[in-house]
Amino acid sequence: MGLLEGKKALIFGVANEKSIAWAIAEAFKKEGAEVALAYANEAIAKRVIPLAESIGATITLPCDVRSDDDIKAVFAEIGKKWGGLDILVHSVAFANKDELKGSFLSTTREGFTMAMDISAYSLIALAKEAMPLLTASNGNVLALTYYGAQKVFPNYNVMGVAKAALEASVRYLAEAVGQDGVRVNAISAGPLRTLAAAGVGGFNQIAGHVSAKAPLRRNITQEDVAGAAVYLSSELAKAVTGEIHFVDSGYNIIG
Ligand code: N5H
């Protein structure tokens, strides 16, 4: 028996086979869950739909998380097809490339608003629409974050502020939905070479520092994150909520 046998999981944020969300989808499937994927746009659909088919995920839905209408349509469809939902995964973030270099002082109002909307507010918007489906099964919500929410890293800039808002939202949401039996947590993953990380400066230096200084003296893999995602989404974690759980080779404990 898998740890997620019979559970239904909706995952936002698969962009390609290197996505953290994809490793989570594969691990969930392996543990017996049924998986649906929501994708951001048609360019991404071309990669996501074949991936979904490869794990027998029959539900793939378009969703621009900036659109309340898109979000409503996704959960209406999930309600119709599944009648409930056990797991919601939020692995979505965006900031304009210009904001991810140079001085944080150059952050623009538009860039700040966009990063906050897509990377932080969207968790609240998704959770709100998912709640009627999640409550029936004591479901759980899982978000992805990065240590740049808590400490300053070069180039992370406005994304650090957006992740700080996301982490605080995890705590406030956990309080808001706990009385309905729903849990909300986040995984703070170490640096991973995903499509989101491609083309932004400073990644190699940070990854090099982690492999030199982290207690485990190595970088993490997508599968390391997926393992923690399985645990947090399973009955094993039924008393765990409002947590930011580091999967980072222990890097965050080093001063
Ligand atoms: C300190 C670092 C290195 C600097 C990296 C910053 C990464 C920020 C993440 C955001 C999500 C990247 C982003 O929005 C890039 C876009 O401007 C352009 N890319 C895209 O549009 C692609 C095609 C799509 C798939 O991307 C998105 N986001 O939709 C942090 C690293 C050590 C760790 C890291 C990489 C953290 C993280 O939050 O991802």
Side-chain angles (χ1 to χ4, degrees):
M1 275 283 277
L3 283 166
L4 304 176
E5 210 63 54
K7 289 193 191 290
K8 292 180 165 56
L10 170 60
I11 301 177
F12 287 73
V14 177
N16 66 14
E17 73 291 340
K18 291 201 178 125
S19 295
I20 296 172
W22 175 243
I24 292 175
E26 286 187 301
F28 280 9
K29 172 76 187 174
K30 206 168 135 205
E31 293 296 336
E34 228 179 300
V35 171
L37 302 180
Y39 57 86
N41 56 53
E42 286 313 311
I44 288 174
K46 284 194 206 115
R47 289 190 297 260
V48 170
I49 292 169
L51 286 173
E53 282 167 0
S54 76
I55 57 163
T58 50
I59 309 177
T60 49
L61 301 164
C63 186
D64 179 340
V65 296
R66 291 171 295 184
S67 160
D68 290 333
D69 289 345
D70 276 20
I71 293 172
K72 279 205 170 72
V74 163
F75 288 99
E77 190 64 18
I78 292 291
K80 214 165 69 187
K81 291 241 167 82
W82 279 350
L85 183 67
D86 301 285
I87 305 166
L88 172 66
V89 176
H90 177 284
S91 187
V92 177
F94 184 85
N96 280 326
K97 269 211 157 82
D98 299 348
E99 309 277 351
L100 300 170
K101 60 182 178 212
S103 170
F104 179 68
L105 259 184
S106 310
T107 304
T108 65
R109 190 182 300 274
E110 293 72 28
F112 183 91
T113 305
M114 164 110 89
M116 280 292 210
D117 187 19
I118 299 180
S119 316
Y121 178 73
S122 62
L123 179 71
I124 304 165
L126 296 186
K128 181 161 180 265
E129 293 302 322
M131 268 310 279
L133 298 171
L134 288 170
T135 44
S137 58
N138 286 347
N140 76 285
V141 178
L142 184 66
L144 273 300
T145 184
Y146 177 62
Y147 195 30
Q150 303 183 14
K151 299 286 176 189
V152 174
F153 286 85
N155 300 331
Y156 205 57
N157 293 359
V158 73
M159 190 52 62
V161 178
K163 290 297 194 187
L166 181 77
E167 293 185 6
S169 299
V170 164
R171 292 185 285 272
Y172 276 89
L173 281 171
E175 197 286 326
V177 302
Q179 60 199 319
D180 298 312
V182 175
R183 302 182 293 110
V184 186
N185 293 291
I187 292 174
S188 186
L192 280 170
R193 201 174 285 287
T194 63
L195 191 57
V200 269
F203 179 92
N204 289 346
Q205 244 187 320
I206 292 170
H209 204 250
V210 168
S211 59
K213 300 287 177 205
L216 297 179
R217 306 291 197 285
R218 67 163 176 93
N219 275 287
I220 63 152
T221 65
Q222 277 81 344
E223 290 67 37
D224 291 331
V225 179
V230 167
Y231 154 71
L232 286 169
S233 302
S234 78
E235 303 304 310
L236 293 175
K238 67 187 194 307
V240 179
T241 195
E243 278 293 303
I244 308 301
H245 180 69
F246 282 88
V247 177
D248 68 341
S249 300
Y251 180 75
N252 74 95
I253 69 164
I254 300 298

